[in-house]
Structures are given as C-alpha cells and as structure tokens.
Amino acid sequence: MLHLVERAKQGDREAFDLIVRRFEAMAYAVAFERLHDSHSAEDAVQEAFAEAFIHLRKLKEAEAFPGWFKTIVIRQCHRLVRKKRQPTVPLDQLAQTSGGQPSVPEIVEKRELQQLLHNSISALSSNLRIAVQLFYFQGYSLQEISAYLGTSVPVLKKRLFDARAKLKGTLPVADFVSVFHQLYEGGKRMLHIVNGDIVAEKLRQGVVQGDILVWREVYPEGPVFTEPSEEANRSVRAGYLERALGIPSAEFIRISEEQEKVRANFRNYEEIVLWFEHDLFDQTMLCCLLHWFAHQSLGTTKLSLLCIGAFPGIELFRGLGQLSVNQMATLSGTWQTVGKEQLELGALVWEAYCAPEPDKLVQLLEAGNTSALPYVHDAFRLHLSRFPSIRNGLGLVEQTTLEMVRGGMTSPLDLFGHIGHKLHGLGMGDLQYWHRLAKLVQGPHPLLKLEGFNAFPGYKDPAPSFRHSTVALTEAGRRVLDGEADWIALNGIDEWYGGVHLQGRSTPWRWDASHNTLVPCGARLNIG
C-alpha cells in the first residue's frame, strides 16, 4: 500500500484509483456511521477522495495515509450534516429482474433477512457497529481497520467478540452465520491460492479475508503432464517423487486430491487470488493453474493475480515468505485481474513445458511474446539451463555446485545456502537440492566425495549426521569441471526436465551457455 501512496503523490492516477478501491468501502462505513444516510455518505466519500487527491502531496509520511484520509472523510461529513436527505428505497429494482436474476420472492426474502440483521446491528454501540461493518460486511482485515481507525488489533478483536455475543442474543445462531455468508456487502467471498505454508500463515494474521489454499507441488521435479489431475498421470508422478525426493506416494496423492477438490469448487467464491513469485518453482505452479482455469467457465467468479519479483527495501528478494505481516499487508488489494492474455499464455507455457520435446518451449521463449506474464521468460530460460551442457554434460545447478566445492566450500548445508542465493531464480527447495547433490556422489564415476554422513536428509528425516559431513571433488569431478570429460558419457542420465525424459549416455538436447539457448545434438534417444 505504501508504494501506491508514493506513486499517487507523484500524480499517478492509476495508483490513486487502486487506493480508492482499497478505501472506498471503509470510508463509506465511517461516513454512514455519522450521516445515517446512504446518499449523503456516498457524497461525503466522493468529496473526500477528491480533496485527498488534490492535497496528497502535503502528506509527509505514506504510512499516515489511513488516519489522514479518515480525518478528511469526517470533515466532509460535518459539511454535509445539515444537508442530509431522507433515505429512499429504489423500489423499481424489483421490476428489473429477468433471465438468470433472482425472482421477486427471493429478493423479498433476502431483503427481509438483511433488514433483520441491519436492525440488530443498529442496536449495537457505535464502536461495535463500525467494527462489524468493516470486518464482516466490507471484508477488511484487522490490520487495515486498525490503521484506518487508529484502534489496536486486540481491541478490535474484543469488539467483534462482544458484537457477536450480543447479536447471538437477538438472532438464531444458524441465521446469524447464514446472513454473514450471504451478506458480504462491499467485500468479497475470496479464495487465496498461495505457494507455501509460511505465506499462508502470515496472510491469516489479518492480512486478508477469505479462505486460503496452499498449493503443494514441486513441478520443476519429475514428469509433468498437461492434465496432472488424471489418475494415471498422478500415479506416475507420485511414484517418481517418492523415489527421488522421498515424498510418500499415498500422501502426495491425498494432498493432490484435497487441493484439487477445493479448486474445483471455485464458483463458491466471488474472487480467486493467486499469490506467486518470479522464480521457476512458482512460475511452473502459476502456469499450471492458469492452464486449468483457462479451460473452465469462470462465470461470475473473478480471477486475480499478485505476482512480484522485488519488494522495496529488500536487496535480494527471494520470495513472499521473506516479508513481515505488515509488509504483506501493503500488498493486499494490489492484485490485478487475470484476463484472456494471461490465461492463454499460461496455458501455452504449461503445454510447452509438459511436451515430450522442448522445441515448443524454446521457440516460445525466443520468438514469442511473453509480456503478459513478465516473469515467465527468465524463469523458463533458467529451466532450460538445467539441461546437460554442451561443454561437459553438467546442468546449471551441478556446474555451480562443483565450482563452489573447488572454491573451498566443504559443507553441504553451506552449499545449499549459497546455491539458493546465487540461483534464487530457480526457487529450489532443500529436497530438490539434496536430490541433485546425491546424483553427483553416485554413479560409476562420482564427481563428488561425501564423507561423515549416514543418509541424505529426507522428507520427514532431518538426518542430523549430515550437518557434520564434508564434500570434496573427485578426480572425475575435476576432469568434468575442466571440460576434459563429459558427465553424461561417464555416468549416463535418467532425468526429467518438465515433460522431457533424457536417458542413456548421450542426449538429443544440450544447453549452449555461449548462446544462451538449448540446441539439438547427438543421437536421438528415447524421449517420452
């Protein structure tokens, strides 16, 4: 939010429009609380935004915007207090129902239920009433309400608790819950799909309202399919991930089915927000989801995207998990609507990534327009650099690992940390890296020698002895690193790169680092 205020202070109208969307319902709730008339409240809010835009440059600290703007709203209310109009009811709306809209009896029933709740809320004290309006009806987070009203989050929680207790005394519990599910005025019933538990936990701390679904997958590893939810495809993938990363097959299948069930019910929500980052780990996930949504009829559900690759004040942005709860709160509401361009490009990239040969992906990155998803190009270019190189058969991760060992790094844990820093565009997790490292210490001609350990860390086994192990180059590793030998020719390969399966002691595709592209070479192998 802070960056929007700074942009708006420089005259960026688009940024100010986003601020309007963020604060409009909140300002209306405050104005209505003082004017008790919808028309007057709307006028006050409109005038307040106009005044705020004109005088925004006078605001010294962006953090002070919520309280500053609230003062403007209240001032406009005072100006209008003597001009209040009597409330009117637009009865003509009842005659405008047609087609798929609700019937007149349904409208009457809903309005009666809403009126019952409004009447009950009107009996609450002012502090309780405005907390209920902002939190339940408008869908604002506790952090947002706290900043706007100047009231601490614990106090707001207490007010909401007291309000619920009082309302339950006037409404049956079932009706109370039902009304709040149906009557979400000004806010939205939302589903946030995120990339990890850390991000989900921070969002749950008052950053957003709605449900949160953690999408648990690791698409840069193992065989991938354009339709991963098909039973046969899921079974193949589950078997690979259990063998390679130690993820129990039954657990992977259970998690996949559960998250796909939630996704399949997306029409229960007014808006779906996708929270993702710039790296390969997230971009594969994003494209997979966009491919799925591109083949659905969204109906009235809005699909939105928040995807970032940097954050103010963070020199090396690795991901959303780095951000504090307050920093996450500044991102709330800044997501953009996913349009036809994003859906089509996401679907196209996912299909190219899952293809049994990489030609389509190479062509798309070199000649296609990927601007609709700005992080796709660099993320999938990094994916291609994971293929065996022309020079010595090493992929980017393996090459960087051997260089670091030659440079004197001996701790596997230090290697993982430095690889994660240097190749942060991959978004590679620990299980992924241990799998890469294991490949380097195995085979007829190991490139690395690992001493002082019993086993690699696993999915649920931290293997403490691994902390005290050391790693060193073998003679074969030195020869490969110097370009005197080829890793694939020495040890063979059985590896998946998206939908491309490379097997044998020669490969049909190699990464050409000098030209930054993937090129066909050698004998054609079994690719499937």
Side-chain angles (χ1 to χ4, degrees):
M1 189 64 203
L2 300 183
H3 64 285
L4 290 179
V5 175
E6 292 295 346
R7 284 168 49 194
K9 287 176 69 175
Q10 303 303 316
D12 188 331
R13 191 55 193 252
E14 183 179 348
F16 191 76
D17 288 342
L18 291 173
I19 293 173
V20 171
R21 288 171 52 190
R22 177 82 169 272
F23 284 93
E24 187 172 24
M26 188 180 289
Y28 176 84
V30 171
F32 186 84
E33 182 64 23
R34 283 160 175 77
L35 300 174
H36 304 289
D37 174 65
S38 59
H39 296 289
S40 296
E42 289 171 359
D43 290 343
V45 172
Q46 185 175 9
E47 291 298 323
F49 276 122
E51 182 180 343
F53 185 73
I54 292 171
H55 299 290
L56 189 57
R57 288 186 177 87
K58 297 179 181 179
L59 180 65
K60 294 182 179 180
E61 301 292 338
E63 295 88 345
F65 179 85
W68 177 76
F69 180 59
K70 179 191 173 187
T71 301
I72 295 177
V73 173
I74 294 173
R75 184 164 61 246
Q76 289 296 338
C77 289
H78 290 161
R79 291 176 182 173
L80 293 173
V81 72
R82 292 191 180 128
K83 300 179 181 179
K84 282 197 303 179
R85 297 190 295 244
Q86 293 299 318
T88 58
V89 180
L91 297 175
D92 57 319
Q93 288 182 3
L94 291 174
Q96 295 177 359
T97 59
S98 62
Q101 296 180 341
S103 65
V104 172
E106 289 173 335
I107 293 174
V108 172
E109 181 180 1
K110 184 176 181 181
R111 286 187 176 179
E112 288 177 350
L113 194 59
Q114 292 175 354
Q115 190 59 51
L116 177 60
L117 182 57
H118 278 298
N119 291 342
S120 299
I121 290 174
S122 66
L124 297 174
S125 67
S126 177
N127 285 340
L128 300 187
R129 186 163 59 243
I130 197 167
V132 168
Q133 289 281 356
L134 293 175
F135 186 76
Y136 285 112
F137 289 0
Q138 310 299 342
Y140 285 105
S141 72
L142 290 175
Q143 296 287 346
E144 290 172 318
I145 300 171
S146 174
Y148 189 66
L149 297 182
T151 305
S152 70
V153 170
V155 170
L156 288 172
K157 289 182 177 178
K158 179 64 166 56
R159 289 178 183 177
L160 290 173
F161 177 83
D162 291 343
R164 289 194 299 267
K166 290 180 181 295
L167 288 173
K168 286 179 181 178
T170 60
L171 289 172
V173 174
D175 286 347
F176 173 74
V177 175
S178 173
V179 169
F180 273 133
H181 277 298
Q182 295 176 16
L183 185 61
Y184 211 53
E185 300 174 347
K188 293 181 174 68
R189 297 199 63 247
M190 305 179 76
L191 174 65
H192 300 269
I193 302 180
V194 303
N195 65 351
D197 291 288
I198 294 177
V199 175
E201 181 58 32
K202 291 179 179 179
L203 291 183
R204 290 189 180 104
Q205 295 181 47
V207 174
V208 296
Q209 296 300 310
D211 297 332
I212 297 174
L213 170 63
V214 179
W215 198 259
R216 306 180 194 280
E217 251 293 5
V218 55
Y219 294 122
E221 296 296 330
V224 292
F225 306 92
T226 54
E227 302 297 338
S229 59
E230 290 183 2
E231 186 175 349
N233 294 341
R234 183 187 288 126
S235 179
V236 170
R237 183 159 174 74
Y240 174 89
L241 292 177
E242 183 170 58
R243 293 189 302 273
L245 305 186
I247 302 173
S249 177
E251 184 171 347
F252 172 80
I253 291 174
R254 175 184 60 78
I255 290 173
S256 297
E257 290 175 344
E258 288 175 355
Q259 65 190 24
E260 287 164 7
K261 183 177 180 181
V262 175
R263 183 182 62 178
N265 292 323
F266 72 91
R267 292 184 185 87
N268 293 337
Y269 300 93
E270 291 184 15
E271 185 172 11
I272 311 293
V273 182
L274 308 176
W275 293 67
F276 290 104
E277 300 150 9
H278 62 292
D279 55 54
L280 179 65
F281 183 92
D282 274 35
Q283 290 298 300
T284 53
M285 203 180 300
L286 172 61
C287 289
C288 181
L289 288 167
L290 290 176
H291 177 269
W292 187 85
F293 278 110
H295 291 82
Q296 310 303 312
S297 175
L298 295 178
T300 59
T301 300
K302 180 181 178 182
L303 186 63
S304 299
L305 171 64
L306 186 149
C307 192
I308 63 174
F311 191 87
I314 297 180
E315 184 175 352
L316 177 61
F317 179 75
R318 296 275 297 273
L320 292 165
Q322 283 178 281
L323 306 183
S324 67
V325 172
N326 288 337
Q327 287 173 323
M328 293 280 284
T330 66
L331 296 175
S332 180
T334 63
W335 41 78
Q336 302 293 315
T337 301
V338 173
K340 182 180 179 182
E341 273 189 314
Q342 288 82 13
L343 285 170
E344 290 181 347
L345 178 59
L348 191 63
V349 172
W350 180 249
E351 290 169 4
Y353 180 66
C354 295
E357 299 210 24
D359 309 61
K360 291 182 179 179
L361 184 58
V362 173
Q363 293 169 8
L364 178 61
L365 297 180
E366 292 185 351
N369 180 6
T370 60
S371 59
L373 296 172
Y375 300 113
V376 153
H377 182 275
D378 288 351
F380 284 90
R381 178 72 71 183
L382 268 178
H383 158 66
L384 295 180
S385 73
R386 300 188 304 155
F387 276 71
S389 71
I390 288 177
R391 180 173 177 270
N392 56 15
L394 295 174
L396 178 63
V397 176
E398 293 78 13
Q399 176 75 26
T400 307
T401 296
L402 294 188
E403 288 174 354
M404 287 184 173
V405 173
R406 170 176 275 179
M409 195 169 295
T410 61
S411 165
L413 293 176
D414 288 345
L415 279 171
F416 171 59
H418 282 76
I419 287 287
H421 181 85
K422 186 171 183 177
L423 305 181
H424 62 89
L426 292 174
M428 186 167 50
D430 54 353
L431 290 180
Q432 292 176 263
Y433 185 64
W434 304 142
H435 176 61
R436 299 286 127 215
L437 193 60
K439 293 273 187 177
L440 290 170
V441 302
Q442 297 169 352
H445 303 278
L447 305 191
L448 290 176
K449 178 172 60 175
L450 193 57
E451 297 180 338
F453 83 112
N454 297 323
F456 277 92
Y459 181 62
K460 292 185 176 179
D461 177 16
S465 63
F466 190 75
R467 293 183 175 275
H468 307 292
S469 61
T470 59
V471 63
L473 272 178
T474 64
E475 176 59 22
R478 183 201 63 77
R479 292 177 59 233
V480 169
L481 193 54
D482 288 341
E484 299 171 0
D486 186 88
W487 187 34
I488 307 305
L490 287 175
N491 293 311
I493 189 172
D494 184 0
E495 201 67 65
W496 288 90
Y497 300 87
V500 181
H501 192 189
L502 300 183
Q503 294 176 297
R505 290 187 179 272
S506 60
T507 60
W509 295 95
R510 291 276 182 138
W511 175 251
D512 184 352
S514 61
H515 294 88
N516 199 32
T517 189
L518 199 67
V519 296
C521 62
R524 303 298 292 183
L525 301 177
N526 177 28
I527 300 179

